[in-house]
Amino acid sequence: MKQSKVGFWLFLLPSLLAFTIVVLIPAIWGLGYSLTDWNGISHNVHFVGFQNYKTIFLGDKDFLHAFLFTTLFSFCAVIFINVVGFALALLVTSKVKCSTFMRTVFFMPNLIGGILLGFIWQFIFIQGFGAISKITGIQGFSNWLSDTTTSFWGLLILITWQLSGYMMIIYIAYIQSISNDLIEAAQIDGANYIQRLRKIVIPLVRPAFTIGMFLSLSTCFKLYDQNLALTNGGPYNSTEMLALNIYNTAFKYNDLGLAQAKAVIFLIAVATIGLIQLYFNKKKEAEM
């Protein structure tokens, strides 16, 4: 018994050490810096208590806007990414030809870095859409990244294109685990495709929705490089997300103490929203 306990802790020790060094200590360190006025360069660091938090909640309109924009964007992105990912999974698990090739093509955007993706879509929105606007005369295709509304949709298209293929893989795993006997029995009973989808596939794939929504929600809240490359927060800071706002506070305005306070609020908000989403999804799974 003692040997198995020793083996357990020895097996766990490397992971615990890595977690402590890479996550726990920097988090505690950052929490301490959020109570100071450190500018990131000077050795003179003064304790200011909760002044940074007061500044954020009482006077930082840019942070509040970034928070609301990120929340709205993440809510829309979670829906788009998972609906498209599930639709792609249904497509490639059907009897369509070249399904293996399509899986590769749909997953490929996930392998491209966020900065590169941002510049690719910046070219498409400015040059590609601009050319379409000139040819067709439709003004809706022009100046996509110069307008506050279409910039939002531009970011949404980019992240949906990038993450849908990844979510597709999760949904494929669950769809393929459904017994063929169930599907065949439903077919014999006269159930059409929509009925089989509603009554068999979606209920049995529900755990995948929990995973997909959690992953997409946490990814969208932390979005930085795509935001930087595509819009850089513009126009007029209308598309500045939380991670970019924190980065600018730290390295553009050299206010590391304030940036750390924002990061702490960011961490608490993402953890809270993620746990709430997990709770309701798990509750829904239990009800079914």
Side-chain angles (χ1 to χ4, degrees):
M1 189 69 180
K2 278 186 176 179
Q3 281 185 344
S4 65
K5 280 189 175 179
V6 171
F8 171 78
W9 285 108
L10 282 175
F11 186 75
L12 200 62
L13 188 61
S15 300
L16 277 176
L17 276 175
F19 178 77
T20 303
I21 294 169
V22 176
V23 178
L24 203 57
I25 292 175
I28 295 170
W29 208 266
L31 186 63
Y33 273 122
S34 73
L35 305 175
T36 69
D37 63 351
W38 188 41
N39 63 9
I41 300 172
S42 172
H43 293 292
N44 295 321
V45 182
H46 303 103
F47 179 76
V48 296
F50 291 97
Q51 184 57 44
N52 288 328
Y53 293 93
K54 286 182 183 176
T55 303
I56 293 167
F57 286 116
L58 298 179
D60 197 332
K61 291 181 180 176
D62 288 341
F63 180 78
L64 179 62
H65 175 270
F67 188 87
L68 294 175
F69 179 82
T70 305
T71 304
L72 175 65
F73 173 81
S74 301
F75 177 76
C76 296
V78 166
I79 296 171
F80 275 75
I81 291 167
N82 286 282
V83 168
V84 175
F86 183 61
L88 294 178
L90 289 176
L91 175 66
V92 299
T93 52
S94 63
K95 294 177 181 177
V96 68
K97 290 181 179 177
C98 305
S99 63
T100 305
F101 174 72
M102 284 195 287
R103 291 182 195 202
T104 307
V105 171
F106 294 148
F107 186 75
M108 278 182 69
N110 190 63
L111 302 176
I112 305 173
I115 292 287
L116 186 57
L117 269 183
F119 286 127
I120 290 171
W121 278 98
Q122 190 184 68
F123 176 81
I124 293 171
F125 288 134
I126 294 175
Q127 302 296 333
F129 279 30
I132 293 172
S133 178
K134 282 182 183 176
I135 294 168
T136 62
I138 301 172
Q139 291 301 314
F141 284 106
S142 63
N143 302 320
W144 255 59
L145 299 183
S146 303
D147 183 87
T148 55
T149 304
T150 49
S151 293
F152 172 83
W153 285 104
L155 270 171
L156 201 58
I157 291 169
L158 186 157
I159 198 66
T160 303
W161 189 70
Q162 184 183 20
L163 293 184
S164 293
Y166 184 76
M167 297 306 156
M168 175 193 72
I169 299 296
I170 296 171
Y171 291 124
I172 287 173
Y174 275 83
I175 290 171
Q176 288 184 333
S177 69
I178 298 172
S179 170
N180 285 329
D181 294 343
L182 273 175
I183 304 295
E184 288 172 4
Q187 285 175 324
I188 292 170
D189 288 341
N192 59 32
Y193 179 77
I194 299 297
Q195 288 170 327
R196 294 198 301 273
L197 189 66
R198 284 182 55 207
K199 301 294 183 182
I200 297 175
V201 177
I202 291 178
L204 292 177
V205 173
R206 186 167 285 278
F209 281 109
T210 304
I211 298 169
M213 289 175 71
F214 179 75
L215 289 176
S216 51
L217 183 71
S218 57
T219 303
C220 291
F221 255 94
K222 295 183 294 184
L223 201 71
Y224 168 73
D225 40 2
Q226 294 90 337
N227 188 200
L228 176 72
L230 186 67
T231 64
N232 196 18
Y236 317 116
N237 280 348
S238 62
T239 60
E240 186 181 66
M241 300 181 75
L242 274 177
L244 185 60
N245 180 273
I246 293 170
Y247 177 88
N248 287 337
T249 305
F251 300 106
K252 189 174 179 181
Y253 305 117
N254 289 334
D255 199 339
L256 265 290
L258 186 63
Q260 278 295 344
K262 289 182 178 182
V264 171
I265 296 169
F266 182 36
L267 171 68
I268 293 170
V270 173
T272 305
I273 293 170
L275 289 174
I276 290 172
Q277 178 260 319
L278 272 180
Y279 170 77
F280 281 106
N281 276 63
K282 288 288 182 186
K283 191 179 175 185
K284 204 72 178 174
E285 284 178 30
E287 287 174 358
M288 298 193 72

